[in-house]
Each structure stands twice: as structure tokens, then as C-alpha cells.
Amino acid sequence: MNDAASRDPLHGVTLERLLNELVAHYGWDELGRRIDIRCFNVDPSIASSLKFLRRTPWARAQVEALYVELVRRG
């Protein structure tokens, strides 16, 4: 593994794992407040959120940025 990959907090993290960790930390209500997308605010589920995030690059980028912030804060 090279140094760049080892320092990337998203390296080796699946979207499902990332989303589960965010939901465990923030809960759906807070996650929906921080990132205002329908799949977090109306009848949220991991499955519907994954489907949306896989098709919507701008939303996925916001979720990944929030995850990176969470990981860096430790």
C-alpha cells in the first residue's frame, strides 16, 4: 500500500459502512439536518440512501466529506 492510500480516510471504506457509521454517530435526524436530502429526512433507510447516493455524485460527495470530518476529529 502506498502512503497516499494509507492517509486517505475513504480508502477501503464502502459506502454502506460509511453510511452506517454516520447514522450510528449522528442518527437520521441530525444527518438529515446536516445534509438536507430527502432520503435522510423522509422515511430514511440504509437501502434507499445507498441507492440515491450511488446515483447522485453531489450528495455522495457531501456524505463522504462529513465522514472524513468525523474520522479526522477522532
Side-chain angles (χ1 to χ4, degrees):
M1 181 185 322
N2 63 32
D3 274 348
S6 66
R7 283 183 262 152
D8 179 4
L10 296 173
H11 181 76
V13 179
T14 65
L15 183 58
E16 184 174 9
R17 177 177 158 205
L18 176 151
L19 187 56
N20 278 314
E21 288 186 29
L22 287 173
V23 170
H25 183 78
Y26 293 110
W28 287 112
D29 289 337
E30 180 64 15
L31 194 55
R33 191 184 68 71
R34 288 175 179 261
I35 303 172
D36 189 19
I37 52 179
R38 184 176 166 87
C39 64
F40 290 170
N41 291 312
V42 178
D43 195 24
S45 73
I46 295 294
S48 68
S49 297
L50 286 172
K51 185 175 180 180
F52 177 76
L53 292 171
R54 287 180 177 134
R55 292 182 292 128
T56 316
W58 64 265
R60 183 176 182 151
Q62 288 184 18
V63 170
E64 288 174 345
L66 183 59
Y67 177 79
V68 168
E69 180 184 316
L70 177 65
V71 168
R72 291 210 168 124
R73 280 188 288 150

